[in-house]
Amino acid sequence: MADNTAIPQGAVPENANDHCPGPESEAAGRAAGCEGCPNQEICSTQASGPDPDLSIVAERLANVTHKILILSGKGGVGKSTFTGQLAFALASDTDKEIGVVDIDICGPSLPRIMGCEREEIHRSANGWSPVYVQDNLGVMSIAFMLPDEESAVIWRGPKKNGMIKQFLKDVDWGAGSDGRLDYMLFDTPPGTSDEHLSVVQLLRESGITGAVIVTTPQEVAIQDVRKEIDFCRKAGVPIIGVVENMSGFVCPSCNGESRIFYPTTGGASAMCAELNIPLLGSIPLDPSIGRACDFGSSFIDTCADSPAAAAYIQIIDKIKQSVEPTS
C-alpha cells in the first residue's frame, strides 16, 4: 500500500526509485523513472517547484538567532505549558528578545497560559504586530483573531498551512532596537501532521536550531514520542533533547514522591539511552503549575521553592547551553 504522507519539500523519499527526479521537479510523479514508485501519486498531486515565499520568510526571520520547535507525539503531556514557562524563563533576561508562535491552529492555548488571551493583533506598515506579554516577550496566535474563546477553528490542512505562513512572513518580529530576536519558540500540536510539515518547510532556508520533545513516563506516550523522533530525523530537524513531564508527584507536606504515571518500559530515560538522545530532565507534578497557567503567570517566579521549579530551571539551563555553547 502506498504511503499517503506528504513529502517534506526538497527531500527525496528513502523508498524512492533509483532515478527519482525529486519532489520539487516539474516532472515529479510523471517522469519515466517514477513508474512503480510508491510515492508517485503523492509527488504528482502536491505542488512542484520551490515555494516562492521561502525567501520572504527567510528575509523576515534573518535576525532571529534561535528557532526552537516544541514537539510532542501525544496530546495532553504539557507541551504548551512547557513552551509558556520556557518563554517566561528566557524573557527573565531583559537583554534577550523572545517571540512565541502558536501554530496549534485548532487548539491555541498559549494566550491563556501567557496571560494575554483577550488581546488583539494590530497591523502596521511593517505587517502584523505580535501581542507583547512584557517588553521583551511577544506572542502570535490565531486565538487573537477569533470572536471569542469558545469559537472552534474548523479548517483543513491548506488553510492551516496558509495561516502558519502568514505568521512567519507577515509578522513584524523586530523586537529589539536592532530588529534582533534571540529566541523564537514554536508551540506545535501533537503528532506529525500538516502544521509540522509546514513549519519545517517554511523554515528550510532560515534554519531550525532544534526541537525539544515533551513526553510523560507511561508507554502510551513514549510510543508516540518515538514517532516524533523519527519525524525529526527524516525531516532533518536537530533534536535538542527530551523532557519528561509529570514524572512524579511531590507531596508539599512531606516531600515524598509518588509515581502517578508509571514508566512500565523505563520512561524517557530508557528511551533516550536507547536512541542516543539527550534527556534534558524530568518535571514532577505540581498543582501550582496548572494555577500559574490559568492565571497567565510564570510558575518559576511564583513558586521558586517548588521541586518542579528547580527541575524547570535545570532543563532550561541545559537548553540554553545546548544552543549557546559559548555563553
Side-chain angles (χ1 to χ4, degrees):
M1 181 180 294
D3 182 1
N4 290 321
T5 305
I7 300 168
Q9 198 162 6
V12 175
E14 294 179 357
N15 59 345
N17 288 353
D18 290 339
H19 302 290
C20 173
E24 287 189 351
S25 168
E26 293 291 340
R30 291 177 285 273
C34 299
E35 290 297 326
C37 177
N39 308 291
Q40 184 176 13
E41 182 180 354
I42 306 170
C43 290
S44 64
T45 55
Q46 71 178 11
S48 60
D51 187 340
D53 286 329
L54 292 183
S55 58
I56 300 174
V57 171
E59 183 179 356
R60 177 69 88 171
L61 303 183
N63 291 329
V64 180
T65 306
H66 302 296
K67 293 176 281 293
I68 299 177
L69 308 181
I70 315 299
L71 306 172
S72 73
K74 180 70 69 180
V77 299
K79 170 186 47 59
S80 296
T81 296
F82 181 82
T83 303
Q85 298 308 315
L86 173 61
F88 278 128
L90 293 173
S92 64
D93 183 348
T94 56
D95 291 331
K96 301 290 187 183
E97 299 289 340
I98 315 299
V100 185
V101 187
D102 186 357
I103 64 169
D104 191 346
I105 303 298
C106 294
S109 55
L110 266 183
R112 163 71 69 174
I113 291 171
M114 306 197 71
C116 54
E117 70 271 21
R118 292 183 178 85
E119 299 294 335
E120 296 181 356
I121 293 172
H122 299 284
R123 296 175 183 267
S124 69
N126 294 326
W128 290 347
S129 297
V131 171
Y132 282 91
V133 179
Q134 52 197 60
D135 290 343
N136 65 334
L137 176 55
V139 181
M140 178 55 68
S141 173
I142 194 174
F144 301 135
M145 307 176 188
L146 301 179
D148 57 66
E149 294 180 21
E150 297 181 359
S151 296
V153 179
I154 309 172
W155 288 357
R156 295 187 186 274
K159 201 166 183 181
K160 292 191 287 185
N161 299 345
M163 179 56 67
I164 293 170
K165 181 181 287 189
Q166 282 192 277
F167 284 168
L168 298 181
K169 75 182 185 71
D170 294 340
V171 176
D172 179 18
W173 288 103
S177 57
D178 56 356
R180 168 185 53 84
L181 200 67
D182 295 284
Y183 285 91
M184 178 174 283
L185 309 178
F186 293 86
D187 185 46
T188 66
T192 55
S193 192
D194 293 309
E195 294 91 336
H196 307 80
L197 287 167
S198 291
V199 74
V200 169
Q201 290 170 8
L202 290 167
L203 295 178
R204 186 157 59 103
E205 288 191 13
S206 57
I208 298 173
T209 305
V212 174
I213 304 175
V214 182
T215 186
T216 47
Q218 73 274 35
E219 180 60 21
V220 70
I222 295 292
Q223 284 181 342
D224 286 346
V225 165
R226 289 176 180 272
K227 297 180 179 69
E228 202 77 42
I229 292 168
D230 185 51
F231 166 81
C232 288
R233 288 174 168 171
K234 287 180 176 176
V237 178
I239 299 173
I240 296 171
V242 173
V243 174
E244 185 177 75
N245 201 18
M246 309 181 201
S247 63
F249 173 73
V250 178
C251 176
S253 300
C254 68
N255 289 327
E257 184 172 349
S258 302
R259 289 283 188 176
I260 306 299
F261 302 110
Y262 191 76
T264 53
T265 58
S269 177
M271 179 193 69
C272 289
E274 175 193 342
L275 300 177
N276 194 28
I277 294 172
L279 175 64
L280 297 173
S282 300
I283 302 172
L285 282 164
D286 188 325
S288 298
I289 297 175
R291 287 196 292 270
C293 292
D294 286 345
F295 290 103
S297 60
S298 169
F299 166 73
I300 297 172
D301 290 341
T302 57
C303 303
D305 295 332
S306 166
Y312 262 113
I313 292 170
Q314 291 176 359
I315 290 168
I316 291 165
D317 283 345
K318 287 182 180 179
I319 293 173
K320 291 195 291 186
Q321 290 167 12
S322 176
V323 303
E324 301 177 4
T326 59
S327 63

